[in-house]
């Protein structure tokens, strides 16, 4: 039945998925539909079990008894995958992206066929005999929407996996046996935060990710602003201080030179005179080590400047921070806030900074979300 739903009916489902159970009167008002039209659209979906009616309550709009409508979230499952250089992170979710099961495994063979087989095996383990998902989403830190096409299929570049111009979508669909969406990981994470995270209900916000790489996505008027991999690369090398440290690509004082995991490890390692991991730098900084705390504070200051640039250019009032490197923002939040305020004409509180959890399951959940969006809206 999903395939035959008109756009107005899909809008109803989307509204209920994002904002939860609502009365027919409230839905009609939100979606600018007459109550008659809403009833005509929702009745077949209720009869088919796509929507369910809750217990009788009093409608907050008119005070009359009503049975709020909701989606049958648990009846539809989705697979979300996040591919890194060395692991496959997988989650199975319901229609509201609630995680039902999760697992990650090392990548043994980096060939596209082998990775797709691993994805198939993970799906079998996570499904637990509950049946196949209705869709899957795969996210990668690379160009998931390259302009070059073969037979109408987008080709994927993922340098960290050694992939160049790979037809990943049909490979994954054959392996998994369900429709599949392939998306850039930062874009997918932005969609997740927009529908189910701190961006829910916001028409405009920005996402900044820090970790092995520096990522950026922008939601404007409820839509993700399209960006190429070149755009993402330029953001990572936005110059914050012309006299700052040098990144591996030869840029002095760019965002990556302060905020990437490599930069933090390198700077702290020089001060400690030994190799050090990112996690160890954070642990030592939290314990008061002068070298590591100094590195973290300098990085947080740079992050505050970066957020100020993002907010000023885009005019958003909310910036979500995510990625495996966000611990530095928590450890040195005061330094981040001072730099942000100083670069926003000394106006405190002009930007709301939301620091999200460091969890690769959230990236995999982003894959499930783009699959949910494709399923609900009927578009890739």
């Amino acid at each position: 039945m999903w395939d035959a739903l008109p756009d107005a009916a899909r809008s109803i489902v989307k509204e209920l998925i994002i904002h939860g159970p609502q009365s027919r009167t409230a839905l009609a008002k939100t979606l600018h539909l007459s109550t008659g039209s809403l009833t005509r659209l929702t009745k077949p979906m209720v009869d088919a079990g796509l929507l369910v009616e809750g217990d009788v309550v009093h409608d907050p709009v008119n005070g009359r008894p009503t049975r709020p409508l909701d989606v049958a979230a648990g009846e539809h499952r989705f697979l979300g995958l996040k591919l890194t250089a060395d692991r496959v992170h997988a989650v199975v979710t319901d229609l509201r992206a609630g995680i039902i099961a999760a697992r990650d495994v090392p990548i043994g063979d980096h060939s596209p066929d082998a990775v797709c087989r691993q994805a198939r095996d993970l799906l079998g383990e996570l499904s637990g005999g509950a049946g196949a998902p209705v869709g899957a989403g795969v996210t990668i830190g690379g160009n998931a929407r390259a302009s070059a096409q073969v037979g109408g299929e987008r080709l994927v570049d993922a340098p960290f996996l050694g992939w160049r111009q790979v037809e990943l979508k049909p490979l994954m669909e054959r392996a998994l046996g369900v429709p599949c969406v392939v998306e850039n990981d930062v874009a997918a994470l932005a969609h997740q935060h927009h529908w189910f995270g701190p961006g829910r209900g916001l028409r405009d916000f920005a996402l900044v990710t820090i970790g092995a790489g520096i990522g950026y996505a922008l939601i404007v008027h409820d839509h993700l602003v399209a960006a190429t991999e070149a755009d993402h690369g330029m953001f990572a090398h936005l110059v914050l201080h012309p006299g700052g440290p040098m990144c591996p690509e030869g840029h002095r004082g760019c965002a990556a030179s302060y905020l990437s995991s490599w930069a933090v490890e390198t700077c702290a390692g020089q001060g400690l005179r030994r190799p050090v991991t990112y996690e160890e730098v954070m642990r030592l900084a939290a314990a008061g080590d002068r070298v590591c705390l100094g590195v973290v504070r300098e990085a947080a200051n740079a992050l505050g400047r970066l957020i100020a640039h993002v907010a000023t250019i885009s005019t958003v009032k909310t910036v979500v921070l995510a990625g495996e490197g966000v611990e530095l923002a928590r450890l040195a939040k005061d330094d981040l806030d001072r730099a942000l305020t100083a670069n926003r004409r000394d106006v405190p509180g002009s930007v709301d900074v939301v620091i999200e959890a460091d969890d690769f399951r959230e990236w995999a959940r982003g894959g499930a979300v783009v699959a949910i969006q494709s399923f609900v809206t009927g578009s890739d």
Side-chain angles (χ1 to χ4, degrees):
M1 182 178 179
W2 278 99
D3 293 339
L5 288 181
D7 289 343
R10 291 181 183 274
S11 296
I12 293 170
V13 174
K14 176 182 174 182
E15 177 68 18
L16 291 172
I17 287 174
I18 296 173
H19 298 291
Q22 298 179 51
S23 70
R24 288 171 173 82
T25 305
L27 273 172
K29 183 177 181 180
T30 299
L31 299 173
H32 306 290
L33 295 170
S34 68
T35 53
S37 295
L38 189 94
T39 298
R40 176 178 55 81
L41 289 166
T42 56
K43 186 178 186 305
M45 291 193 285
V46 172
D47 293 341
L50 303 180
L51 300 183
V52 294
E53 293 182 315
D55 296 332
V56 175
V57 298
H58 288 285
D59 193 318
V61 177
N62 56 32
R64 297 173 183 170
T66 185
R67 299 184 70 183
L69 289 174
D70 197 4
V71 292
E75 299 301 313
H76 303 86
R77 296 194 173 191
F78 298 84
L79 175 68
L81 298 171
K82 156 69 172 171
L83 305 182
T84 69
D86 56 0
R87 300 189 78 82
V88 181
H89 300 265
V91 296
V92 169
T93 77
D94 62 19
L95 191 53
R96 280 204 174 93
I99 296 178
I100 298 168
R103 192 175 175 209
D104 65 277
V105 295
I107 295 177
D109 182 339
H110 283 68
S111 70
D113 285 332
V115 172
C116 290
R117 286 194 298 272
Q118 275 199 291
R120 180 193 61 206
D121 294 342
L122 275 171
L123 174 58
E125 293 176 26
L126 295 176
S127 294
V134 296
V138 184
T139 72
I140 61 171
N143 194 344
R145 297 191 176 272
S147 58
Q149 296 186 352
V150 171
E153 290 293 343
R154 294 183 177 95
L155 305 181
V156 170
D157 289 339
F160 62 94
L161 286 168
W163 293 357
R164 172 72 176 167
Q165 302 290 275
V166 173
E167 294 181 75
L168 185 59
K169 179 179 176 178
L171 288 176
M172 274 291 181
E173 289 185 333
R174 284 196 293 271
L176 300 174
V178 296
C180 186
V181 179
V182 179
E183 182 60 278
N184 172 270
D185 56 357
V186 177
L189 194 62
H191 284 303
Q192 179 208 319
H193 288 314
H194 190 205
W195 275 35
F196 303 109
R200 183 171 60 180
L202 298 179
R203 287 176 56 80
D204 312 287
F205 73 94
L207 169 69
V208 174
T209 63
I210 57 175
I214 312 300
Y216 171 59
L218 181 64
I219 299 287
V220 175
H221 301 319
D222 278 331
H223 289 86
L224 179 74
V225 176
T228 66
E229 195 63 19
D231 295 326
H232 293 300
M234 290 176 189
F235 178 78
H237 296 285
L238 178 68
V239 174
L240 301 176
H241 192 294
M246 187 174 290
C247 79
E249 294 189 21
H251 306 130
R252 189 170 288 282
C254 67
S257 73
Y258 287 103
L259 296 169
S260 68
S261 302
W262 173 88
V264 171
E265 292 168 355
T266 300
C267 189
Q270 290 173 344
L272 296 173
R273 297 184 181 181
R274 63 177 177 84
V276 62
T277 65
Y278 188 89
E279 292 74 17
E280 187 178 2
V281 175
M282 296 303 113
R283 188 169 62 253
L284 289 172
D289 179 87
R290 292 180 61 184
V291 169
C292 293
L293 187 57
V295 170
V296 167
R297 293 186 63 183
E298 183 179 36
N301 181 283
L303 182 56
R305 279 178 275 154
L306 182 63
I307 293 171
H309 291 326
V310 167
T312 299
I313 294 170
S314 68
T315 71
V316 299
K317 299 300 183 286
T318 300
V319 175
V320 178
L321 285 179
E324 67 270 28
V326 293
E327 184 61 22
L328 71 83
R330 293 192 182 91
L331 286 175
K333 184 63 162 53
D334 290 344
D335 295 271
L336 186 160
D337 289 340
R338 277 193 292 269
L340 173 57
T341 300
N343 285 271
R344 292 279 290 173
R345 300 178 65 84
D346 291 322
V347 179
S350 65
V351 181
D352 182 23
V353 179
V354 181
I355 304 175
E356 283 293 282
D358 165 21
D359 189 345
F360 270 110
R361 289 184 304 175
E362 292 301 299
W363 293 88
R365 189 169 173 242
V369 169
V370 295
I372 291 168
Q373 290 178 328
S374 177
F375 178 71
V376 171
T377 64
S379 61
D380 187 345

